[in-house]
Amino acid sequence: MKILAVCTGTAERLPGKSYKTGINKHATGGSVIVDAEGLLGDAICNRKHHGGVDQAVYIEGSLTLDWWSGELGRTLAPGTFGENLVVGGLDNRDVAVGDRFIAGDLVLEVTSARIPCATFAAKMGDYGFVKRYTKAGRPGIYCRVIRGGAVTADAPVEYQPFAGAKVMMPEMMATFGKRLSTEDRARYLAAPIHYKLRAILEEQST
């Protein structure tokens, strides 16, 4: 695997929207520093639902973007889905919470699946895209930064699968907002999931 693109964005307004968003991202040249809050210089406008330590970096796999290009009938430029990194040879469906991506000094750990929102639909110019993206079952990947560092396109990526019980990205998206069984809740809590989801599940278990 290798990093095919490193993408950042600035705060912009989408057509018909009154608020600014950083979802419009584009491939950058050169090296970008990544710290605990994400890529330096990348705009994150709505910090209630985006960004933060457990959603610091957003990844899309190239195989997933290729699939979407076929579905949409057009080539998707890096950053189209608002991703920070495009990882070559990766299918989002194969990724689990706790998996790690290592590129040089940078170490990223998967925490959660991307849940589509109205801003994403507006970005795609299709207000039915939330439903379409959910039905496809190929969600993007949010990561926390275990160790910061610089990242560049073409950098090789080491992929380390999580050693524990698997919580796969499609399952995470499919169960979003739903009450889990006792067994599934224990499996989720045994993985390094996003801290907000952990708090919800721990509350359900009391």
Side-chain angles (χ1 to χ4, degrees):
M1 289 181 179
K2 70 176 183 178
I3 294 174
L4 299 185
V6 180
C7 306
T8 60
T10 57
E12 302 176 30
R13 285 188 175 90
L14 296 174
K17 298 295 183 182
S18 61
Y19 57 87
K20 289 186 176 182
T21 173
I23 199 170
N24 287 328
K25 300 195 189 300
H26 305 280
T28 65
S31 179
V32 178
I33 298 297
V34 184
D35 65 15
E37 293 288 338
L39 280 68
L40 295 189
D42 184 41
I44 301 173
C45 299
N46 182 356
R47 289 189 173 271
K48 180 178 179 181
H49 299 294
H50 302 288
V53 293
D54 278 0
Q55 279 186 192
V57 178
Y58 174 44
I59 291 175
E60 285 283 354
S62 69
L63 300 182
T64 297
L65 293 178
D66 289 345
W67 183 87
W68 274 112
S69 293
E71 284 291 299
L72 298 174
R74 60 187 175 94
T75 300
L76 299 182
T80 297
F81 280 6
E83 70 272 14
N84 296 122
L85 304 179
V86 179
V87 176
L90 180 69
D91 185 325
N92 296 3
R93 297 174 298 177
D94 297 334
V95 176
V97 174
D99 291 354
R100 291 189 174 189
F101 297 91
I102 303 171
D105 291 332
L106 182 64
V107 180
L108 304 176
E109 183 176 72
V110 177
T111 62
S112 60
R114 194 246 188 93
I115 306 301
C117 62
T119 299
F120 186 26
K123 166 70 166 64
M124 299 304 295
D126 176 5
Y127 285 92
F129 198 72
V130 168
K131 183 176 181 180
R132 186 173 185 179
Y133 187 87
T134 301
K135 184 178 180 181
R138 291 168 162 83
I141 303 151
Y142 280 115
C143 300
R144 64 171 60 94
V145 178
I146 299 298
R147 186 175 68 214
V151 64
T152 58
D154 292 326
V157 175
E158 179 186 351
Y159 179 64
Q160 292 184 350
F162 181 59
K166 303 296 185 182
V167 179
M168 309 301 292
M169 293 296 99
E171 180 188 9
M172 276 201 101
M173 184 167 68
T175 59
F176 178 74
K178 298 179 180 178
R179 191 173 185 89
L180 300 178
S181 68
T182 301
E183 293 77 13
D184 285 341
R185 186 164 59 246
R187 175 166 53 88
Y188 273 54
L189 289 173
I193 57 174
H194 191 293
Y195 74 91
K196 289 183 180 179
L197 177 57
R198 177 172 299 279
I200 292 170
L201 296 181
E202 287 176 344
E203 185 177 349
Q204 289 180 1
S205 63
T206 59

